[in-house]
DNA sequence: AATGAATGAGACTTCATTCAT
DNA sequence: TATGAATGAAGTCTCATTCAT
């Protein structure tokens, strides 16, 4: 017998809308304050829905977070797909700098920049969130690894592994700097340029 | 014979001890669980002190955190001092790689690695903590900036500014990778070597 | 060709079916869990009926219980009838032991053994249920009384009253022991035999 | 590490008083309404205590029940002790009727007659309570068994087992009749007399 | 100074019942 | 008639904080 508490599975449009509205409100509030300081009652009230309704769509506050994580995951997938894409790889075979630039653009353009911060926060606290983050990062690291593998000459697989870890770290650091630190638009451009150049240098030098 | 049970420790000192013990317990618990999941009553009990006593030393749970942050700040100062030290600067004037290595060692050896994670987490949540973190990072960035300023030839102040931001980001990313990701000891050595080399390359190339 | 999907069952009948199905499900669930741990929504869902429909047939959860009690009552009636039956009385006039055996069999074979437990439980909680139980018990006691009345020689009406109360208690105790305590089939046979013999002894001795 | 939530262990008199007052109120309310229809808030309010205080003494509503059961158990123990007592056994060796009478008196005089009903009710619902009840009943049955064992002549151990089960059932039924059904005082005396006589008859006849 | 019993707002969650469609 | 989304009062429990001793 199925022990899951049966949360409403919205079939009709109205129901889906309401569920989405709850999710949206929750996300908004989680971003504004933070997961721990947002109450389910508040989410319900701000959505303009009774607490009972909220709990008919979600079995718990955790469940709301889980759905949000799921959505985040799903919104991240196309970005990964784009990057992992054969075409882009082919196109960038001979032009590492463009590949790098493209990669960084994809990561920077990822939606949910603000919710991403909540995820980062929660990854310190909620194991499930930690795993999600790790999975995402590993996927990107693997992608970089594959690209390097293709280009490597006198470099061992081991070295490439380390290099891809480090390059992923640098790329992430750069993306974070661009997304979350307050810089003017022109500063951002410069930082991005410098960042890409520097990482490119690193790759060129170590992958001779 | 009048044998006083105990040599009385001056009231102030005893008070300070108690306060410190509370802070220590709080920090331990914040690390073990996390700020949100630790209660003031728990801190008091684990310290072996009544909740009333705790509240005679601290006005609120937030206040405990504030003091801890303050301590963290103070423990960070000597590290900064060491790095900013004229001597080290002089010593490393001609050897950027050694300077870099030294810088990274200092940051890696910083105490409170574990509490640092709590701070990172809370910086997403508590503005005061965010500011602290930013202040620390800015100080290190400034330090790097100063070093670069000294070496720059055909580089504008502006460019140096960006470069120091980026290099700080890379250094931080490397330190985090070394401290918080699970690598074997030999892997760590390799990653560190690669990391230092790559950052060195970046500096050399962009500061020619 | 105009082929109506379904021969329409007269509305009344269909309604009755649905109502019965709800009652059946409710009873099943009340037995499986217990009255307090079963929700109306659950009953509706398990019946395959909307909660709205449920509330169109029953005005409240209590009402469902009331109907179930009513049904229980009605299903108990034939049993009483059988026992009270003139024929059986006649048949057993000269054979108290057989009469006793028959009585116990009837009570043991009563349907709804499991629901009976719910009723017993609820009789501690819901006055209405308490009354129902009392009414049933009184009816059986009366029946025993009548039988004894017939046989009494040097016994006052008063004494017969008390005796029938006590004998009813013993019979009930025996039936409960047989129905609800875990005994092997052969143990049950022995207990039943002993029980009947002992009650028979009581009657014989006190009614001589 | 001890995972039990630390409920207050009252050392001082005042604390013990308060805990007892909560228990007393809870018992009163459980008797008046029933366990399921009494809320912790109500218990707290009626005790004249905040809900927080209640939860500092008890970890949950279940815990309150558990303590009450424990107390019940402990109040039952002396009764058992009295019955099991060597002296009484010796004294009643030659006088089964007196032994029976004594046994029934002890059970009838058991305190907590009203709470006993709650326990009976809950034993249908809460396994823990069911077990408690069973344990009590088994102890009394064993006691009866021992007594019979002593007296048995041409009776097998097996038969004695069954007889003691049945006699226990009859005794319980009689005690319940005396305690919970509304009879006048003189009626009670008669019922008791008849009951004892009848059970005595049973024993005599079957233990010849 | 220190104690710790006491507080109560507020968090999460359930469920009998209603009502627009 | 039937549906099921929606309601919200009420229940259990937590925890930062206070205050009489």
């Amino acid at each position: 017998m199925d022990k899951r508490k049966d949360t409403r599975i919205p079939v009709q449009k109205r129901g889906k809308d309401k569920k989405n509205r709850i999710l949206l409100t929750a996300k908004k509030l989680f971003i504004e304050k933070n997961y721990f300081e947002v109450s389910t009652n508040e989410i319900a009230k701000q959505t303009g829905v009774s607490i009972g309704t909220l709990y008919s769509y979600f079995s718990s506050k955790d469940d709301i977070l889980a759905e949000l994580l799921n959505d985040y995951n799903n919104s991240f997938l196309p970005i990964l797909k784009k990057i992992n894409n054969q075409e882009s790889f082919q196109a960038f075979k001979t032009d590492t700098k463009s590949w790098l630039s493209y990669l960084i653009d994809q990561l920077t353009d990822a939606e949910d920049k603000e919710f991403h911060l909540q995820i980062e926060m929660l990854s310190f606290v909620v194991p499930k969130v930690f795993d999600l983050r790790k999975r995402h990062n590993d996927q990107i690291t693997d992608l970089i690894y594959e690209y390097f593998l293709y280009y490597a000459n006198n470099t061992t697989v081991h070295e490439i592994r380390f290099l891809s870890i480090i390059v992923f770290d640098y790329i992430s650091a750069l993306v974070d700097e661009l997304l979350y630190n307050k810089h003017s638009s022109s500063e951002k451009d410069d930082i991005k340029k410098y960042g890409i150049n520097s990482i490119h240098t690193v790759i060129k030098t170590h992958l001779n």
Side-chain angles (χ1 to χ4, degrees), chain A:
Chain A
M1 221 137 336
D2 201 338
K3 283 269 176 183
R4 268 174 305 166
K5 269 179 259 155
D6 44 2
T7 39
R8 186 127 59 231
I9 298 160
V11 186
Q12 285 155 342
K13 195 157 176 306
R14 290 236 320 176
K16 256 195 181 152
D17 275 9
K18 197 162 281 187
K19 188 171 183 183
N20 277 331
R21 270 171 47 222
I22 294 171
L23 283 172
L24 247 48
T25 309
K27 180 143 90 177
K28 193 194 74 183
L29 289 172
F30 290 165
I31 290 168
E32 271 173 33
K33 307 186 177 190
N34 77 68
Y35 183 73
F36 299 105
E37 280 165 7
V38 174
S39 77
T40 49
N41 274 293
E42 198 180 354
I43 297 171
K45 187 162 286 176
Q46 285 247 351
T47 312
V49 142
S50 76
I51 185 65
T53 297
L54 185 151
Y55 274 92
S56 77
Y57 287 108
F58 303 95
S59 66
S60 67
K61 193 183 168 190
D62 253 35
D63 191 33
I64 297 178
L65 179 61
E67 288 250 10
L68 244 23
L69 288 176
N70 202 42
D71 289 0
Y72 177 80
N73 212 359
N74 290 340
S75 81
F76 193 79
L77 234 66
I79 293 160
L80 267 178
K81 281 260 174 60
K82 259 194 217 153
I83 299 171
N84 269 324
N85 198 342
Q86 281 304 328
E87 293 176 53
S88 22
F89 260 73
Q90 292 302 327
F92 298 133
K93 244 180 201 163
T94 52
D95 187 356
T96 303
K97 204 167 191 172
S98 295
W99 169 79
L100 198 58
S101 182
Y102 177 76
L103 183 56
I104 286 166
D105 280 345
Q106 292 306 321
L107 294 173
T108 314
D109 287 356
E111 279 181 47
D112 275 328
K113 287 163 218 184
E114 282 168 319
F115 189 55
H116 178 78
L117 285 182
Q118 274 304 299
I119 289 181
E120 225 158 308
M121 186 275 268
L122 289 169
S123 74
F124 289 100
V125 173
V126 185
K128 197 170 21 175
V129 182
F130 178 85
D131 293 343
L132 173 74
R133 239 199 123 206
K134 176 143 182 50
R135 213 160 49 245
H136 280 181
N137 290 347
D138 285 352
Q139 282 175 301
I140 303 173
T141 308
D142 284 349
L143 165 87
I144 295 169
Y145 178 75
E146 281 171 40
Y147 186 89
F148 287 177
L149 210 53
Y150 190 89
Y151 271 87
N153 291 345
N154 304 322
T155 324
T156 69
V157 173
H158 230 62
E159 287 170 325
I160 296 176
R161 183 88 251 162
F162 294 140
L163 191 63
S164 54
I165 289 173
I166 282 168
V167 166
F168 167 71
D169 284 343
Y170 294 172
I171 289 172
S172 295
L174 179 60
V175 168
D176 282 359
E177 182 73 47
L178 290 171
L179 284 180
Y180 303 115
N181 284 11
K182 287 171 184 167
H183 298 295
S184 73
S185 174
S186 73
E187 277 175 338
K188 270 188 191 168
D189 287 346
D190 281 338
I191 291 173
K192 188 175 170 184
K193 196 185 72 192
Y194 270 77
I196 290 176
N197 281 340
S198 62
I199 299 175
H200 185 232
T201 308
V202 169
I203 298 171
K204 278 289 153 203
T205 312
H206 288 261
L207 224 63
N208 72 311

